Amino acid sequence: MNINEWFEDPKVFEKSKREYAHFDLRTDLAKCKKYITNSKNIERHGFYPFIKYDLEYHKYNRAEGRKTKKRTICYASHIDSCIFQYYSFLINKKYNARLKQDGIYEVPIAYRTDLHTDTIAEFRKMHQFMIQHPSSYVMIGDFTSFFDKIDHQYLKERLCDLLQVDKLNSDYYAIFKRITKYDYWDLTDLYRLNNLNPKKRKDKIKINSKVRILSQSDYKKYRSHIRQHQDNKGIPQGSSISACLANVYMLEIDRLINEFVVARGGIYRKYSDDFIIILPMDTSSTDDIEKIILKFGAFKDKGILELQPEKTQVYKLQDHSVVNIGHLFTPSLNEKNKTINFIGFTFDGNAIKIREKTTSKYYYRMHHKAKGVAHQYYRNKYYKGADKLYQLYSPNGQYGKGNYFTYLSRVQNAFPNQSIMISEDRIMTNIRLTLKKNRWG
């Protein structure tokens, strides 16, 4: 896709139209094309602070129950987002070409602009590889606080290497500087300045219906509330260029790990900060896994990357069974998990299943939505909002691109010999019972 095709792509255009309120007026790629494609403008562009907030989300499993976790998100102003989106396209063009050049085109599977696939198709490829090599070592891992620990100097080196320059051009340097030495304004403070409560849904609607989140006079008046990221590590999650730069950051690491793995007849795949390595036993040994761990350790010593110990596991896949062999390594690895878990799937040597936390999340959200609908019964004498409840959470529903059952159906089609689908009667009964149990009046 060339630059003109990119600007004319309806999906790209829609992505540039952001509904939230920020410090500037709303704009999109069509309106600001002339401005953002002039490198001189970007060199001297005055970026607005990011708006920062903690996104709360829940993780579930039977052993530990529900856990609330937080991820810090920073979102850019409208014009800044368009700039980041445009430069992300330019960098991704170079990045995709480098992946082919380095022979690692299929290694990174997250945040890709030209790899037209999904997690279902990717796990199917891994499953087929394990079927072809039924005696294998499988290593699963992820990186500690990946976005927060991205080293600025190393990122700059990788970006220069990708762009084939000794020094970043002034416009690219302006982007780099904004993403690494960024400033931000806390969203809860902005609610307070607007006399609104972030916990009230109507106030969330109010704040995002504003032309600007603060008037220009209030922006100047309260500028002292702006904070700055001073560390030499970390880039903000949430900007339209952060994922692209995270992939660039991993280019050399992905090449080195893949080179080692492929030389031993295996495959290496990475989804954001999660990865899987599969090594056939007839061409490798546990010593090779140890060497891989040492390679990651060398990146840690350089302050570039760190494996998360509690999420690093090694399995022995043999005779249709999976055994966690973490005790064979020094120091010992996590042996808590007994099945191979990656990109939403589990595999025990025979059966493929949707990860328990994915199903638990579905049930939690379904019950939460159903309770909300049921609580409206007393006032309305009928289940107001039930249509959307069934669209989102019933086997017969369809919402947007689909719902959980659409996903299950696609998984079932990809793995026809596996038992993936949930009983439709059980789900419909579950929804009806939840509505009846929680209704008022």
Side-chain angles (χ1 to χ4, degrees), residues 373-392:
V373 170
H375 288 171
Q376 298 292 324
Y377 181 83
Y378 177 76
R379 188 184 310 157
N380 301 291
K381 295 301 180 184
Y382 68 94
Y383 292 121
K384 184 179 180 182
D387 288 350
K388 190 169 182 181
L389 170 66
Y390 284 106
Q391 283 180 336
L392 284 168

Side-chain angles (χ1 to χ4, degrees), residues 18 20-24 47-52 73-85 178-179 183 236-241:
R18 293 166 173 86
Y20 55 74
H22 215 287
F23 299 119
D24 64 337
F47 290 92
Y48 286 98
F50 286 95
I51 293 179
K52 180 180 178 180
I73 303 294
C74 294
Y75 58 100
S77 71
H78 299 282
I79 183 64
D80 295 353
S81 290
C82 289
I83 292 170
F84 292 146
Q85 192 177 351
R178 167 58 9 182
I179 288 296
D183 51 18
Q237 291 191 65
S239 85
S240 48
I241 199 171

Side-chain angles (χ1 to χ4, degrees), residues 394-435:
S394 79
N396 299 324
Q398 181 93 0
Y399 190 77
K401 295 180 180 178
N403 64 12
Y404 179 64
F405 290 92
T406 311
Y407 171 73
L408 290 183
S409 179
R410 289 170 51 223
V411 174
Q412 188 67 77
N413 289 336
F415 302 101
N417 297 323
Q418 301 290 327
S419 180
I420 303 294
M421 297 303 292
I422 300 172
S423 168
E424 294 187 9
D425 291 340
R426 191 179 83 186
I427 293 298
M428 297 301 289
T429 301
N430 202 319
I431 293 175
R432 285 193 290 268
L433 287 175
T434 303
L435 286 171

